[in-house]
Amino acid sequence: MVAAVEPAARTAPGHGPLTPALYRVVERQVELDDVVTLSLEPEDGPAPPFAGGQFNMLTAFGVGEIAISISSAPGDPGPLRHTVRDVGAVTAALCASPVGAVVGVRGPFGTDWGVDGIDPAADAVIVAGGIGLAPLRGAVDELVARRRGTAGGGVFVLVGARSPDQVLFPPDLERWRADGAHVGVTVDAGAPGYDGPVGVVTSLLPEAPFDAERAVALVCGPEIMMRFAVRSLLERGVDPGRILVSLERNMQCGVGLCGHCQLGPLLLCRDGPVVPYGGVAEGLLGEHRR
Amino acid sequence: MTADLSLRLAAHRFLEGLDTEDVALLAAVARPAEFPAGTYLIREGEEADTIYFVDRGRVAIELHAPGRGPLVVETVGPGQVVGLSWVSPPFRWQFDARAAEAVGAVGVDAPALRLILAERPVLGFDLLQRLSGVLLERLQTTRVRLLDLYGDGGRR
């Protein structure tokens, strides 16, 4: 289910995996107070193909480089999109990049959500928390588009956010709902005028009418949230091998050479970020792991 | 009426697997409850005299803060229960519970239920174990929310 493609084969033509290609910012969309989506187009040649869930190493020249998941859909003919949260020096510089600025891009790297391998008859359950919806957006786009108007499995998108004004991609959520997906959103803290669900994202699971026996679950968000989500999915009866989680550590080289992103037996830039819970992430999503 | 309430209670997720006879005991002290959107099931400080088994709609558990108005601390939906303060003295509601949308529920008379549970310890243990599960889940999810995972504490 999880893709395993040689990293060197996925880098931009003419570039080795450690050399950034130059991309220009063609659109800058402010999503939230501290979250920006940058749309990027290559300065030289076409962008290499990617799959939903993979990441690129983005360079803010003169500041540094950081791993950011791709938030556009693989089939989208438009620019390459990355949704960045301002949490440090590099992400602050990227978020501040205006239209016309040039950034560096290496990749795509890592494993993906394996949308092609998901049984069309199986329900797909997406559980996302906070910025964790960004690495899932492309996969959800693909799943919703493939299943629109079919009698196959449903798409269930369950989203948790800090507060109503911190819900990521509201237009996408509406579009997915209009295209037949079951979309649930809950927030940790309500606000005046908000009458939607308040609670953790797992509180949405009991009311989502998916067939747990055949369901595939894609989970992304803070690791504590993922642990709780996995527990709830297992209690509901979803097979651990059909639960995929996105793990992240300190990705640096992107090709499994430097070892900074090691987690147990995995080098997450190469063996992750998307891994099955059953047999792989099971035991790594533990409370005492780093 | 009681037969209908028995069916609704038997189908409720909180009571899943409960003996038919025990469901009938609960139904005997129950009544149907409908709350239009915006109305209150429970008011803070009043006597905690009912446990509501929600089977339709969403209920907002609220606290009123001076100058800030009602603050929703959690929402509860179908298959869940509203009202836990009837279990222990002083039997007073600690929060408001407002119908965020039209709510259908079965309300069980709490003083009568306490008597039933005192007379039938096996049923009492069973129901209190289920309620403990609800309390534990709410405690754990509250702890998780206190971590502010989606803020800086949840940096990923």
Side-chain angles (χ1 to χ4, degrees):
Chain A
M1 180 175 292
V2 179
V5 184
E6 281 302 311
R10 299 191 311 250
T11 51
H15 295 270
L18 298 179
T19 307
L22 301 182
Y23 279 61
R24 194 168 293 278
V25 177
V26 295
E27 187 184 352
R28 179 178 178 275
Q29 169 76 38
V30 177
E31 308 284 0
L32 306 173
D33 287 347
D34 57 352
V35 177
V36 166
T37 295
L38 297 177
S39 298
L40 306 174
E41 285 188 345
E43 289 282 88
D44 182 19
F50 66 93
Q54 289 189 295
F55 68 95
N56 280 318
M57 297 299 300
L58 299 190
T59 301
F61 290 110
V63 184
E65 188 182 49
I66 198 163
I68 301 289
S69 294
I70 302 166
S71 61
S72 45
D76 186 345
L80 195 59
R81 288 189 291 182
H82 294 79
T83 300
V84 185
R85 183 165 181 217
D86 177 359
V87 293
V90 181
T91 51
L94 289 169
C95 285
S97 299
V99 171
V102 173
V103 299
V105 176
R106 291 195 295 122
F109 296 124
T111 55
D112 63 83
W113 295 111
V115 169
D116 288 340
I118 296 177
D119 178 359
D123 288 333
V125 183
I126 318 302
V127 186
I131 193 76
L133 184 57
L136 283 161
R137 178 160 73 168
V140 178
D141 265 344
E142 280 192 289
L143 286 163
V144 168
R146 291 179 188 195
R147 296 174 178 213
R148 186 171 41 214
T150 71
V155 180
F156 299 80
V157 184
L158 310 177
V159 175
R162 191 183 198 188
S163 55
D165 63 345
Q166 295 292 307
V167 177
L168 202 56
F169 307 143
D172 293 290
L173 297 173
E174 282 308 312
R175 180 167 52 82
W176 295 333
R177 186 178 282 127
D179 284 342
H182 169 110
V183 177
V185 177
T186 185
V187 298
D188 277 0
Y194 172 81
D195 241 347
V198 176
V200 294
V201 68
T202 50
S203 67
L204 298 172
L205 280 165
E207 292 179 44
F210 58 86
D211 176 7
E213 271 191 28
R214 298 182 65 185
V216 173
L218 319 182
V219 184
C220 190
E223 280 198 16
I224 294 174
M225 177 231 108
M226 290 200 288
R227 286 213 300 271
F228 275 81
V230 167
R231 279 182 213 163
S232 297
L233 288 162
L234 294 174
E235 282 171 17
R236 180 76 182 264
V238 179
D239 186 299
R242 296 162 74 87
I243 299 173
L244 299 176
V245 298
S246 181
L247 299 176
E248 190 174 314
R249 287 298 182 274
N250 180 17
M251 319 293 208
Q252 291 202 7
C253 71
V255 290
L257 292 176
C258 73
H260 283 91
C261 61
Q262 182 178 0
L263 179 63
L266 306 177
L267 293 171
L268 286 176
C269 71
R270 182 193 66 193
D271 306 319
V274 179
V275 294
Y277 176 74
V280 182
E282 201 173 12
L284 296 178
L285 264 182
E287 288 80 352
H288 305 295
R289 295 275 182 176
R290 286 288 180 269
Chain B
M1 172 73 85
T2 304
D4 177 52
L5 292 174
S6 287
L7 288 175
R8 287 176 68 181
L9 288 172
H12 198 274
R13 190 166 70 236
F14 179 83
L15 298 174
E16 189 177 358
L18 197 67
D19 285 349
T20 309
E21 182 187 336
D22 291 334
V23 171
L25 285 172
L26 268 60
V29 293
R31 59 183 168 77
E34 294 287 330
F35 296 93
T39 60
Y40 284 82
L41 291 73
I42 283 171
R43 282 290 199 178
E44 180 184 354
E46 293 183 353
E47 183 189 357
D49 58 358
T50 309
I51 175 173
Y52 291 102
F53 296 84
V54 177
D55 49 18
R56 181 168 46 81
R58 189 171 61 252
V59 179
I61 312 298
E62 295 178 343
L63 271 176
H64 192 277
R68 298 177 64 187
L71 303 174
V72 179
V73 295
E74 186 161 35
T75 53
V76 172
Q80 296 179 287
V81 295
V82 170
L84 301 175
S85 300
W86 62 273
V87 177
S88 300
F91 307 124
R92 296 280 165 187
W93 299 126
Q94 306 296 311
F95 296 91
D96 292 334
R98 177 179 54 84
E101 52 193 50
V103 167
V106 176
V108 172
D109 183 89
L113 180 59
R114 283 197 297 269
L115 289 176
I116 292 170
L117 301 187
E119 289 168 2
R120 295 173 179 263
V122 173
L123 173 61
F125 178 75
D126 185 343
L127 278 189
L128 287 179
Q129 196 171 36
R130 292 168 193 252
L131 285 170
S132 298
V134 173
L135 290 167
L136 192 60
E137 184 184 343
R138 290 186 186 173
L139 174 63
Q140 287 172 341
T141 57
T142 300
R143 285 170 168 167
V144 169
R145 287 162 63 191
L146 284 172
L147 293 175
D148 190 20
L149 295 178
Y150 307 134
D152 288 345
R155 189 176 298 179
R156 45 164 282 111

